């Protein structure tokens, strides 16, 4: 799934941004990456996706794919690779995964989550009893 997002949205956006002046790329690249990943999260919540353990693992793999692409793509300026790999959206994704991946969640894991929508993400968990 993430490979398609990268191939069809992120890579072309990076190519287009590279045509402009470097200072505009410094401002635009973080916004583009953040917008794409935040849109993915909003989409999962909006459609009320039921996310199994395997689905959460797949989401983790997809996020790892995106981060790896940012760190290795010739379309991403070397000077921006670290900055883009450490965007706050990746921290948010880590918090989401911390709610989706564990087989069992303790109540304090939910209440102590820094996510304002933690309960919505817990509601997306699909586990067999």
């Amino acid at each position: 799934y993430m490979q398609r997002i990268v191939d069809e949205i992120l890579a072309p956006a990076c190519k287009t941004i590279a045509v402009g002046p470097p200072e505009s790329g410094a401002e635009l690249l973080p916004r583009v990456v953040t917008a794409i990943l935040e849109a993915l999260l909003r989409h999962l919540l909006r459609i009320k996706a039921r996310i199994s353990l395997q689905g959460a693992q797949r989401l983790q793999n997809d996020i790892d794919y995106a981060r790896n692409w940012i760190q290795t793509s010739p379309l991403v300026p070397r000077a921006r690779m670290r900055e883009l790999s450490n965007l706050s959206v990746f921290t948010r994704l880590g918090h989401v995964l911390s709610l989706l991946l564990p087989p069992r969640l303790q109540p304090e894991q939910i209440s102590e989550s820094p996510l304002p929508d933690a309960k919505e993400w817990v509601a997306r968990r699909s586990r067999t009893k």
Side-chain angles (χ1 to χ4, degrees):
Y1 188 72
M2 187 57 70
Q3 183 177 359
R4 188 168 178 201
I5 290 172
V6 166
D7 291 346
E8 295 181 14
I9 301 170
L10 187 55
C14 287
K15 286 178 190 175
T16 302
I17 291 169
V19 173
E23 55 276 1
S24 68
E27 186 176 327
L28 289 173
L29 279 173
R31 289 183 183 193
V32 167
V33 171
T34 297
I36 290 168
L37 296 176
E38 284 288 349
L40 173 63
L41 291 175
R42 279 192 311 274
H43 172 72
L44 292 173
L45 286 177
R46 188 182 74 246
I47 66 168
K48 298 184 188 287
R50 300 298 294 167
I51 302 172
S52 67
L53 177 58
Q54 293 80 15
Q57 291 167 338
R58 177 59 198 226
L59 179 60
Q60 183 174 33
N61 291 338
D62 283 346
I63 300 314
D64 291 344
Y65 179 89
R67 183 179 269 135
N68 184 57
W69 185 86
I70 288 168
Q71 294 170 343
T72 61
S73 175
L75 297 175
V76 177
R78 284 206 173 282
R80 299 281 167 237
M81 288 178 174
R82 178 174 286 190
E83 171 195 357
L84 294 175
S85 296
N86 294 317
L87 289 170
S88 62
V89 70
F90 284 107
T91 302
R92 176 167 162 69
L93 285 159
H95 292 307
V96 167
L97 288 169
S98 73
L99 296 172
L100 295 176
L101 284 170
R104 295 209 181 278
L105 281 176
Q106 299 301 318
E108 58 272 7
Q109 289 174 281
I110 302 164
S111 63
E112 293 173 2
S113 173
L115 295 173
D117 53 1
K119 290 181 181 175
E120 291 178 67
W121 284 108
V122 172
R124 303 288 48 88
R125 291 168 54 98
S126 174
R127 302 291 192 267
T128 57
K129 303 263 180 199

